[in-house]
């Protein structure tokens, strides 16, 4: 499989400039290929907490020096110039990730695509322009890029050391995410999975988890958590997601009694991630991830918009409409 070679350009003010958010963006890109070059724009002293993640990923920082309203777009212009320079001069890079939803970047996307480059756009839902979204080869909302925050309850089969369980649980979630990103395949070669894992976690070593080989580690995670399906196919080890072991009792359900708690938890997760507003479709997608059988009628509503209105009455959100008459919810 040919790995994509990415150049990543980040508008810090657009993405919210949170460490967890930036890490999630980098994880999303590294699952797809190698990051050969990265630049962030709009950097000021208020983003000092980003230093470690930027340095460890060898990103170049382009400071933001503002003077008056007329120069508010200086960082945007510099990003466009740098991206085009890379596209023309660096033949190794075949993919670009633009972290911004500003429609001003649409001509840049068009030029990159005309040069045969793949363009991945990432932005907050409240700041994403429909024009920019449609121009990209692929677009992801930041709220969806981050890790899902509402988790299914999990039955533990054996008592393990808490720290050990936490480490293996985190690894299991990461591997599950990598496989889920393979939209065109149901499973992945174990060797390919390990290669992706090493891009995400360069210090990864099976022995740290008490296993001599990656195959044994996969079998251990599969046995303990039940999310991974591991099998041999003509001497190749293949890894996919398992649907076995799930039944109506183990799948969490939303009812008229508990739905508000689930929505409140997800809204809190967005707020903790630095988001002030989100598109309701993002909220619904995250709820469906945790509760696959979710249905508005099951909790007493006809439409999802009615659910939003009830949350507004409960003081959790404020329903707003943007200039394009698209519903957004402000998190309280």
């Amino acid at each position: 499989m040919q790995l994509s070679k990415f150049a990543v350009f980040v508008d810090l003010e657009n993405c919210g400039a949170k460490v967890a958010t930036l890490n999630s963006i980098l994880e999303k890109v590294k699952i797809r290929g190698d990051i050969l070059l990265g630049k962030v724009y709009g950097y000021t002293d208020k983003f000092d907490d980003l230093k470690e993640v930027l340095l460890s990923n060898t990103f170049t920082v382009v400071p933001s020096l503002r003077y008056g309203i007329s120069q508010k777009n200086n960082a945007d212009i510099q990003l466009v110039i740098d991206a085009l320079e890379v596209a023309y001069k660096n033949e190794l890079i075949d993919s670009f990730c633009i972290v911004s939803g500003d429609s001003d970047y649409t001509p840049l996307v068009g030029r990159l695509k005309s040069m045969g480059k793949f363009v991945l756009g990432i932005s907050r839902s409240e700041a994403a322009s429909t024009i920019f979204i449609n121009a990209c080869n692929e677009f992801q909302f930041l709220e969806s890029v981050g890790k899902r925050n509402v988790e299914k309850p999990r039955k533990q089969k054996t008592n393990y050391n808490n720290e050990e369980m936490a480490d293996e649980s985190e690894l299991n979630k990461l591997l599950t995410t990598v496989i889920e990103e393979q939209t065109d395949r149901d499973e992945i070669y174990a060797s390919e999975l390990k290669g992706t894992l090493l891009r995400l976690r360069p210090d990864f070593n099976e022995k740290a988890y008490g296993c001599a080989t990656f195959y044994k580690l996969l079998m251990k995670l599969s046995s303990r958590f039940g999310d991974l399906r591991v099998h041999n196919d003509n001497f190749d080890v293949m890894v996919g997601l398992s649907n076995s072991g799930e039944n109506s009792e183990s799948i969490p359900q939303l009812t008229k009694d508990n739905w508000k708690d689930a929505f409140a938890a997800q809204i809190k997760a967005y707020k903790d991630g630095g988001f002030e507003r989100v598109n309701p479709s993002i909220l619904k997608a995250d709820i469906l991830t945790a509760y696959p059988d979710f249905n508005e009628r099951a909790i007493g509503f006809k439409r999802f918009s009615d659910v939003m209105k009830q949350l507004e009455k409960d003081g959790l959100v404020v329903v707003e409409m943007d200039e394009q008459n698209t519903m957004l919810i402000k998190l309280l």
Side-chain angles (χ1 to χ4, degrees):
M1 178 181 177
Q2 183 68 34
L3 289 177
S4 297
K5 307 295 184 182
F6 272 92
V8 181
F9 297 88
V10 181
D11 181 342
L12 285 178
E13 293 186 356
N14 183 276
C15 77
K18 297 283 185 179
V19 173
T21 302
L22 189 54
N23 275 326
S24 295
I25 292 170
L26 295 175
E27 183 174 290
K28 181 77 171 181
V29 179
K30 288 179 180 179
I31 287 174
R32 298 170 173 276
D34 290 323
I35 298 177
L36 301 191
L37 180 150
K39 288 191 174 186
V40 295
Y41 298 81
Y43 186 89
T44 64
D45 290 341
K46 70 177 181 178
F47 300 142
D48 275 353
D49 56 339
L50 298 178
K51 283 183 178 179
E52 182 177 349
V53 64
L54 292 175
L55 289 171
S56 62
N57 286 279
T58 64
F59 267 58
T60 300
V61 172
V62 181
S64 176
L65 298 176
R66 299 181 181 275
Y67 182 77
I69 298 176
S70 62
Q71 296 194 22
K72 67 182 181 68
N73 289 323
N74 276 6
D76 299 353
I77 296 171
Q78 189 63 53
L79 188 155
V80 172
I81 293 172
D82 291 347
L84 288 175
E85 182 178 12
V86 170
Y88 280 107
K89 292 185 176 181
N90 194 328
E91 296 181 356
L92 293 176
I93 292 176
D94 56 19
S95 302
F96 286 74
C97 176
I98 309 296
V99 183
S100 178
D102 196 331
S103 61
D104 290 344
Y105 292 122
T106 304
L108 168 64
V109 174
R111 177 55 62 89
L112 293 174
K113 289 171 65 177
S114 72
M115 298 173 67
K117 310 297 185 182
F118 175 88
V119 182
L120 168 65
I122 300 177
S123 172
R124 292 177 295 165
S125 61
E126 65 169 300
S129 162
T130 302
I131 297 174
F132 180 73
I133 292 173
N134 293 333
C136 295
N137 293 104
E138 181 182 355
F139 189 90
Q140 296 284 333
F141 290 112
L142 268 176
E143 296 91 329
S144 299
V145 170
K147 295 179 180 178
R148 303 298 186 184
N149 294 289
V150 181
E151 298 185 1
K152 301 177 184 179
R154 189 189 299 277
K155 294 181 180 179
Q156 304 298 348
K157 300 178 181 178
T158 314
N159 291 325
Y160 296 96
N161 175 275
N162 289 337
E163 183 176 352
E164 176 188 2
M165 176 61 72
D167 290 342
E168 293 189 354
S169 176
E170 180 182 356
L171 177 63
N172 182 72
K173 290 178 184 177
L174 180 57
L175 294 178
T176 301
T177 299
V178 172
I179 297 172
E180 287 176 340
E181 288 295 325
Q182 311 301 313
T183 56
D184 57 338
R185 295 180 293 172
D186 294 329
E187 53 188 14
I188 184 174
Y189 288 103
S191 58
E192 184 181 342
L193 180 60
K194 183 176 179 179
T196 302
L197 181 58
L198 285 170
R199 289 198 300 275
L200 295 167
R201 303 287 186 269
D203 60 347
F204 167 75
N205 190 310
E206 301 91 336
K207 294 179 175 59
Y209 297 89
C211 298
T213 66
F214 189 57
Y215 172 74
K216 290 183 178 180
L217 175 58
L218 290 173
M219 294 301 295
K220 181 180 181 181
L221 295 176
S222 176
S223 174
R224 179 171 296 188
F225 300 103
D227 295 321
L228 302 177
R229 182 184 73 254
V230 185
H231 69 96
N232 288 298
D233 181 17
N234 293 328
F235 303 103
D236 290 318
V237 178
M238 306 298 296
V239 189
L241 297 181
S242 175
N243 294 320
S244 62
E246 290 190 350
N247 52 50
S248 58
E249 295 181 356
S250 64
I251 299 176
Q253 303 286 330
L254 281 186
T255 67
K256 293 181 180 180
D257 296 326
N258 67 5
W259 74 270
K260 287 184 182 179
D261 292 336
F263 275 78
Q266 186 60 62
I267 290 171
K268 181 179 183 300
Y270 291 142
K271 292 170 63 177
D272 291 343
F275 297 101
E276 297 179 356
R277 293 175 176 80
V278 297
N279 190 301
S281 63
I282 301 298
L283 175 57
K284 184 173 183 178
D286 283 338
I287 291 296
L288 281 168
T289 297
Y291 303 92
D293 293 333
F294 165 70
N295 184 287
E296 293 89 340
R297 294 183 181 276
I299 59 175
F301 300 95
K302 290 184 178 181
R303 297 174 295 272
F304 195 70
S305 59
D306 296 329
V307 179
M308 296 300 97
K309 292 175 183 177
Q310 183 60 51
L311 292 175
E312 184 175 35
K313 290 181 181 179
D314 294 335
L316 292 174
V317 302
V318 173
V319 177
E320 301 177 338
M321 304 298 289
D322 65 11
E323 296 177 353
Q324 299 175 343
N325 205 33
T326 300
M327 180 184 289
L328 292 174
I329 52 174
K330 181 179 180 180
L331 311 178
L332 299 179

